[in-house]
Amino acid sequence: MEVQLPPARYEFGGDEFIFVEIDREMSLEANLKAMAITGALRRENIDGVIDICPSNASYLVRLDPDRLHPTELVEELRRLERTAGELRSDDAVSTRIVDVPVLFDDPWTRETLMRFRDRHQDPEVTDLEYAARINGFSDVPSLIESITSAPFLVTMLGFVPGLPFCYQMVPRDRQIEVPKYVRPRTDTPERAFGYGGAFSVVYPVRGAGGYQLFGIAPAPVFDLAQRLPDFADDIAFPRPSDVLRYRAIDRDEYDRTRVEVEEGRFRYRIREAELLPAELLADPDAVNRGLLEVLYR
């Protein structure tokens, strides 16, 4: 089975960059197509390609024009769009499935969001209560259950180093969506779990932010000192194409995990897997069940 997706649009950024827009609308389909093409491009290991940066519904390639002419690279990208980008049933993407513990409705993000109610759509309720109501859930636990029941795909890193934008791997009619704050906050706790549009994030550092605040992760996604084993190769832990399962935890587990982090002993639960984009789009629930079985067996 082939998944039909819109044709890409190609633009030159001077002599060194090629920007490819998969679709104007952000969607799981568009991101999977960008992921498949950029993954295939990496495997080609073309001389002159310096960097490949996938995004939610597009990607950017940097090249050395002295070694590779931009028009030649565009022709190669068009070829990959016709092959890898068609998401045939046997096209696989290598991924990591990761268990990401989250303490929902924690005291730190609650204190922060209450300081900024004048910037929120509904100053009378918390961000979780607001998100539950506008998404049709009867209560906050039902919203949390929906978030934790199916994993999220890391579609890109951006805004600040190590911040993962994640799209839940469910049909569009089951996507949770919330607007950003009316005006951004000037403060957000490090490791806060936020939601904006259809994307979840874990804030890597303390700073400004506009996403709704739902909770906090005990483990970092960014480690500049690279103290923890999972950061030995990179200061940012998440990678595009990772699959994150947000798991709700209680305060006791949060505190125990924080001790492991502070002592440099913490490691994420990670399993390697192959993701078939066409199968995911055809039957996301079955694919998600399989991925979670791999993660927790």
Side-chain angles (χ1 to χ4, degrees):
M1 181 188 72
E2 294 186 2
V3 177
Q4 297 299 322
L5 293 167
R9 180 172 62 85
Y10 297 81
E11 292 185 356
F12 295 101
D15 295 331
E16 296 184 31
F17 296 93
I18 295 173
F19 173 74
V20 184
E21 183 182 71
I22 300 297
D23 193 8
R24 292 188 177 183
E25 181 180 3
M26 295 181 187
S27 66
L28 187 60
E29 292 88 345
N31 184 256
L32 289 169
K33 181 173 180 177
M35 187 188 308
I37 294 171
T38 54
L41 180 61
R42 286 192 182 91
R43 292 191 294 273
E44 297 265 331
N45 196 26
I46 299 173
D47 182 51
V49 172
I50 298 173
D51 197 11
I52 305 166
C53 182
S55 185
N56 289 323
S58 61
Y59 65 92
L60 183 73
V61 182
R62 185 182 180 190
L63 67 145
D64 180 351
D66 292 330
R67 295 153 57 196
L68 177 64
H69 197 282
T71 58
E72 294 178 0
L73 180 55
V74 167
E75 288 305 309
E76 176 64 14
L77 298 178
R78 290 187 186 278
R79 184 186 69 79
L80 292 176
E81 182 185 1
R82 294 190 299 270
T83 55
E86 289 180 348
L87 303 182
R88 289 185 292 265
S89 58
D90 57 345
D91 289 338
V93 174
S94 297
T95 186
R96 303 184 301 175
I97 315 167
V98 186
D99 175 87
V100 180
V102 175
L103 177 61
F104 287 89
D105 198 18
D106 64 284
W108 304 282
T109 57
R110 177 179 275 265
E111 186 278 331
T112 300
L113 66 88
M114 295 308 294
R115 280 192 281 124
F116 292 96
R117 296 329 282 164
D118 62 324
R119 304 179 183 219
H120 195 272
Q121 290 85 354
D122 188 345
E124 304 302 318
V125 298
T126 66
D127 294 4
L128 276 167
E129 291 168 332
Y130 171 71
R133 187 184 75 238
I134 68 172
N135 281 277
F137 293 100
S138 59
D139 52 29
V140 167
S142 299
L143 170 66
I144 295 172
E145 169 64 23
S146 181
I147 292 171
T148 58
S149 64
F152 288 67
L153 182 70
V154 179
T155 60
M156 63 170 286
L157 303 182
F159 183 62
V160 291
L163 187 148
F165 286 85
C166 304
Y167 202 88
Q168 195 170 26
M169 296 159 56
V170 295
R172 186 166 301 190
D173 61 357
R174 285 161 48 194
Q175 287 285 343
I176 296 164
E177 294 190 20
V178 293
K180 298 179 184 179
Y181 275 41
V182 176
R183 289 184 295 128
R185 298 177 304 274
T186 57
D187 188 25
T188 304
E190 177 190 341
R191 294 174 282 102
F193 176 74
Y195 224 103
F199 292 94
S200 70
V201 299
V202 175
Y203 284 83
V205 295
R206 184 177 182 179
Y211 278 22
Q212 308 283 336
L213 296 180
F214 290 176
I216 195 166
V221 293
F222 176 78
D223 181 7
L224 184 61
Q226 296 180 278
R227 292 177 54 253
L228 295 171
D230 290 324
F231 295 82
D233 298 325
D234 201 321
I235 59 176
F237 172 73
R239 306 170 188 166
S241 82
D242 278 353
V243 174
L244 308 185
R245 192 280 169 112
Y246 297 116
R247 178 173 56 86
I249 62 173
D250 59 20
R251 179 63 187 270
D252 287 343
E253 182 173 349
Y254 177 89
D255 291 340
R256 291 195 304 271
T257 304
R258 287 302 301 155
V259 171
E260 293 179 6
V261 170
E262 294 302 322
E263 294 178 352
R265 297 185 289 110
F266 175 80
R267 300 205 70 155
Y268 282 102
R269 183 183 184 92
I270 305 168
R271 297 292 183 269
E272 304 287 336
E274 293 289 312
L275 179 65
L276 294 169
E279 286 189 5
L280 174 62
L281 295 173
D283 192 349
D285 291 334
V287 170
N288 290 336
R289 284 195 299 270
L291 290 171
L292 294 181
E293 288 174 2
V294 170
L295 179 59
Y296 294 117
R297 68 187 176 194

